[in-house]
Amino acid sequence: MRLIGIFFVIACITISPSYAKPVHDESYYQTHQIQGLSVPEDSLNFLVLGDWGRNGHYQQIPVAEMMDVAMWQLDADFITTTGDNFYSNGVASVDDPYWQSSFEDIYHGPHLFENWYPTLGNHDYRGNWQAQIDYTDVSRRWVFPSSYYAKSFELDGGEKVLMLFIDTNPLNPEYKDVAKYAETQKQDGAKQLAWIEEQLVASTAKWKIVIGHHPLYSSGKRYGKTSEIRGVLEPIFEKHKIDAYFAGHEHDLQHNQPKGTTVQHFVSGAGSELRKVAQRSFTRFAEATAGFASVSVSDNELLVQFISDKNKVLYQYSINKD
């Protein structure tokens, strides 16, 4: 019986589903370049990933591998997230094993060790959301100073980019009477809204981009169910003429622009599990394909590209300013 037990342990180790980390050399990246990817010169390049932390399940691993290639191909500067960083109930602490199994062991490619600028999703609030901020002191690449914060970047040509990373959870009226999201309502939403206004009013940046979790328009599961958060944020975004809003929450890739609006609305929430989408009156693009967005900002252009886990650009959209 003891011998059988030893063989059982060895077998368990041998067939362990843990993700083996491949080691890639330069030739790997040359042969796995993303088909159709545009690489603008003199631009700020970053990736937008959403709804992703699932312990390597669903499509999380192939998406992570393609992100590594995209970062190399674009010579990208950083990665940002649209929330729901850890399913289904966030993390318990900075020592939660999920940090290793859902983040460190998955996004281990050499080109993914640039700064990550996260935001919080509703699933993150089911756990210890403060631990995600505190992990900033543990990891060099995880840069999460507060539940909402701003970053400014100067382009090679001298123009500036303002990025606001906001926490849409306490701003969403849908969560006011939902017990599992009670923690979101303990945050000072009015203070954050005032801060967003102040940042946008004070900025002289040519480009203004906002990253959050909840979409204001959706071609997916929540079609017709986003009016409450839209009522809170859209007047501010339109008033201050931000260029683009990136959200997650929906497990797909979308570009929406309703008539009469100036803001471009993107959803990048296809980091692991997927859900169906449909073509709506405001849909420019919507596809239930695993992947992420890349953004390239130069003095006169903001280029968004949706990239699949299958080594292919699915969609491109360019905003131009003189």
Side-chain angles (χ1 to χ4, degrees):
M1 289 297 292
R2 183 177 181 184
L3 187 59
I4 293 173
I6 292 172
F7 282 135
F8 176 75
V9 171
I10 293 173
C12 288
I13 294 172
T14 303
I15 63 173
S16 171
S18 62
Y19 180 36
K21 300 178 183 179
V23 178
H24 300 321
D25 58 17
E26 189 70 13
S27 63
Y28 170 86
Y29 295 97
Q30 292 288 350
T31 57
H32 287 76
Q33 292 190 52
I34 296 165
Q35 302 169 36
L37 184 67
S38 296
V39 185
E41 295 183 2
D42 303 322
S43 59
L44 175 76
N45 301 305
F46 61 93
L47 307 185
V48 185
L49 172 70
D51 301 78
W52 48 277
R54 288 189 178 272
N55 211 35
H57 297 152
Y58 301 97
Q59 298 304 109
Q60 188 183 6
I61 290 172
V63 169
E65 291 176 342
M66 204 48 53
M67 287 171 61
D68 184 39
V69 175
M71 290 290 285
W72 168 82
Q73 200 167 338
L74 290 164
D75 190 20
D77 300 280
F78 59 89
I79 298 160
T80 182
T81 84
T82 58
D84 279 1
N85 306 315
F86 296 95
Y87 281 93
S88 288
N89 299 307
V91 291
S93 70
V94 295
D95 299 314
D96 193 314
Y98 237 33
W99 284 107
Q100 199 66 37
S101 60
S102 274
F103 178 55
E104 303 289 0
D105 282 351
I106 305 296
Y107 304 96
H108 58 76
H111 304 286
L112 298 176
F113 282 83
E114 301 292 344
N115 286 351
W116 286 59
Y117 298 118
T119 62
L120 293 170
N122 54 299
H123 283 271
D124 299 311
Y125 265 99
R126 294 188 188 183
N128 183 350
W129 62 272
Q130 182 62 44
Q132 293 198 36
I133 294 171
D134 295 342
Y135 198 69
T136 299
D137 297 328
V138 176
S139 169
R140 168 59 185 84
R141 61 174 169 166
W142 186 266
V143 184
F144 201 175
S146 178
S147 59
Y148 56 91
Y149 56 103
K151 298 288 294 184
S152 293
F153 303 91
E154 186 168 335
L155 303 173
D156 289 346
E159 298 291 355
K160 294 181 179 180
V161 180
L162 172 68
M163 294 187 66
L164 301 185
F165 303 85
I166 67 173
D167 183 359
T168 58
N169 296 282
L171 306 179
N172 195 339
E174 293 179 39
Y175 294 161
K176 282 186 177 179
D177 300 310
V178 180
K180 63 184 174 183
Y181 296 130
E183 186 68 22
T184 68
Q185 301 308 300
K186 296 178 183 178
Q187 315 308 312
D188 192 339
K191 182 179 179 181
Q192 183 183 177
L193 289 174
W195 175 87
I196 294 171
E197 287 262 16
E198 290 168 4
Q199 291 290 321
L200 294 173
V201 167
S203 176
T204 59
K206 183 173 184 177
W207 298 101
K208 299 182 180 69
I209 301 169
V210 179
I211 311 289
H213 183 62
H214 294 88
L216 308 193
Y217 295 91
S218 175
S219 299
K221 175 184 176 181
R222 294 176 175 85
Y223 170 69
K225 300 177 181 179
T226 61
S227 60
E228 292 191 75
I229 186 64
R230 182 166 69 243
V232 174
L233 288 173
E234 187 171 50
I236 298 174
F237 292 171
E238 289 289 330
K239 174 184 175 182
H240 297 288
K241 296 181 172 59
I242 73 165
D243 299 287
Y245 175 57
F246 288 86
H249 203 41
E250 297 285 61
H251 299 177
D252 47 51
L253 302 169
Q254 302 179 29
H255 175 201
N256 302 310
Q257 189 186 21
K259 291 181 179 180
T261 63
T262 60
V263 178
Q264 302 297 324
H265 294 265
F266 299 96
V267 172
S268 180
S272 55
E273 186 192 31
L274 301 175
R275 285 199 292 253
K276 293 181 180 180
V277 294
Q279 294 296 307
R280 313 296 184 181
S281 61
F282 49 69
T283 307
R284 285 180 175 263
F285 173 85
E287 193 166 312
T289 298
F292 54 95
S294 74
V295 183
S296 300
V297 190
S298 58
D299 279 1
N300 299 313
E301 182 187 33
L302 189 156
L303 174 65
V304 177
Q305 302 178 87
F306 283 134
I307 301 168
S308 79
D309 65 330
K310 304 297 185 185
N311 204 41
K312 182 181 179 181
V313 171
L314 302 171
Y315 177 76
Q316 295 177 322
Y317 185 81
S318 180
I319 303 172
N320 295 283
K321 285 185 181 182
D322 295 329

